[in-house]
Amino acid sequence: MRRRRLAEMLDAGVCRPVTLVCAGPGWGKSALVASWAEARVTSGPIAWLTLSAQHNDPRAFWSDLVMALRMSGAVPGGNPLEQLDLGIRADQRAVARVLDGLDALPQPVVLVLDDFHEVDDARVLGGLTTLLHDPPPALRLVLIARTEPTLPLHRFRAGGELTEIRTRHLAFRPAEAAELPAVHRRRMPVDELTALLDRTEGWVVGLQLLADVRAERGAPANGEVRAASDYLLREVVGALPARTRQFLVRASVPDQMCGPLADALTGETNSRRILEGLESSNAFVVRVEERPGWYRCHPMLRDALLHQLLLDRPGAAAELHLLAADWYARQDSIFEALRHAADAGDWRYLGRLAVERAMVRVMCGDQLALVEVLRRIPPEEHASTAELALCGAAVRYASGDRAGVAGLLRLARSLTGRQAEVPAATDLTLRLMEAGILNWRVGDMPGLIAKSTETLRTLAAYRQDELPSLLHYRAIALNEKGAGLLWMDRADQADRYLWAASMAARGVGSTVTEVNAMAHLGLLVFLQGSLNEAAEHVSAALDLARRNRFETSAQASVSYLTSALIQIERDRVGEAQEALRKALRAGGDEPAAAPGLLAALVRVHLLLAAGDPAAARALLRLTREEAPVTLVAPVLAHWLRLAESEADLALGCFREVVARYDREAPHGVLTASEQVCLARALLSAGDHAAAELLLARVRESTDRVAAVTAWIATAFAADAEGHGNRSIDALSRALLIAERDEIRRPFRRFDQRRLAVLLDRRRWVEEHTAASAVTVARAAGSEPPAGTLDVLSERERDVLRYLPTVLTAGEIAANLNISINTVKAHMRSIYRKLGAARRREAVVRARQLGLL
């Protein structure tokens, strides 16, 4: 085959003194140069000398070199090389005559020295070193070798006068591999050819051997290994010293190796030097670029070596895998240790190692890598030890088999009960899995808090050197307790534990635990009525989840649900629906009890936002019926009661709301949102005094959503009682607070026609009222006399605020819900008290006095 890209490299190379083609056996070095030389017959002479062991004799080497030059036609008549006789011994003077002849060549000549690795004689290499010290102008040397020549090529490399074609260049690319006869004949599909290239890494002999094996019908299952084994064991391994061969067989058990690991497997003390030597000699051992100091065998060589180990020493591979597992465990590379323990088939050791060092990472969300290994444990082994039962529970949990998880955790608890002494890691892992999987899933928040509290108390008795996963356990336990406290409506304590959990999780790199803690912090802050802060927590949690590619996991569902609730309060129904969709996808088919009920509440609020309170009430009834009896979460009880009350108010059933709170919480503590809801019901029932007591408390609450609702309710109540100023002021306060957090939904909960009237009234008044009445009065050089405000009655002050507008007396009366005669009477009283004859004069005087 003619490979154009490599032919171009050779064309460029023979414009320089030296070209090196260096790779292991079977990479097509000689075939490449030969095909290039054949295509270049009109571009000057090419001399070719294939070397062998006999060329370690200087006379044989130099004689054959001169003969190759003569046969190529590069030596003209009269040149010293034409009749050169080196004699019996090719001493330095004879070599000097060869060099003189090379210097006298009239035109460039390419000299190919194939199989240069066969020559290691110091005399031959010394002569070539002399030649390369001051290379003849016409000579273009092409060296083909399996190993790096011991020649001073560094000078040419440093000066940019050396062209090198290495294994990475010789490796066949897809288009080139498709043209190989063995591949082309089969018309191999693209995916099969890609797999073949991955396995052979472009090694041409391997490509041809495997393509031929796959073409044979009825070929044995291990046919591919056998096809390449003979070649590699003879051409690569067979050329190595016996000790190095033994080293390579034992070191090939792991897919990657470093010096210390190879020392542990082989008993050597200088393994890194051996690995470097194998790599530099192109013995199909290559560096792992992304891991300095690490090496790996070519996949096909590793298969051949493992096959040879199986034949020579059955059972030795398992022993070596255990040695590798121990070494990786000491380096704290737990997943690698577990993989080797699984390869060794030592399930009890794997179970102990998983529980002591890795199981906690399943609960931290690092599941994929671990579960992949744990799936290899035969199911019948799960009943052998408590540790293996926990491994089985982790696999079932990752598969979504909740019943299977519960059964295996009960089995693990039973097995620990038979042990005289249970290892601390086993006890803690079992306890955390019971709390995080069993208590959390059924919504048993008191049980979750109790178990996590006990875990934290137990952890306090250990040092990290005694319990390697101590900090991971602590982060999980803090998160579980914080979440339990939130659902139990113990906000202050929940806040402290959740912050501690997020910091602890970040410290140990447990991103899922951190996401979980941040998500619950977001929900906690939302419940406290601060939308901006809640949105920040949710955004941080979801960003972290996306960066670590588990935004569709169950741990992210609470973030999405909180995001949906935030968007509902901001009256962004489309965004809320999308967040709910993502939450349901992340929660899975069987979400945990608390997030599952929270998702139902989000649906209820979406129905209320869509103006369908009857459907919302029906869904609430169904939600109560389907809620698990094991669910104990007072926050959700408050929320359900509030949602039912919101639906009743939207349907005009205010008496049911009052009765509900009298019946279900006669002496209980109500949330700010519940107090506002009850106040609205009391206003509808005509009990303004009781409603005002509730609203007064909530208006100053830190719960901004509830405060906005309370101020709007106050504005409506004041308007109904004819207190225009108070109504406008209350609505202004509601708008001011709402603007900070983009709160919109509370305004939708009230009569929209009346709200529009109040907003218009506020706008009319503000447009015609000075920005600061006192400032205007002082700028006019007068101070408002003391007691002036007391001179005007409250109703007169209401009328006064409308005098700067363009509204007529009749329109002012309509806005204040009083008769036109009453308005006119108040206007006359205002004129008299301000000493004004007409409306405009009264406005000017009122501004001077700071009344407007």
Side-chain angles (χ1 to χ4, degrees), residues 611-634:
D612 194 349
R617 191 155 64 172
L619 178 56
L620 282 164
R621 189 178 304 112
L622 180 64
T623 300
R624 277 196 181 277
E625 291 172 358
E626 294 183 349
V629 294
T630 53
L631 177 61
V632 181

Side-chain angles (χ1 to χ4, degrees), residues 830-846:
I830 291 169
Y831 298 163
R832 177 175 52 80
K833 291 179 180 180
L834 296 181
R838 59 181 61 84
R839 181 171 177 172
R840 183 173 181 181
E841 186 178 345
V843 170
V844 172
R845 181 62 180 154

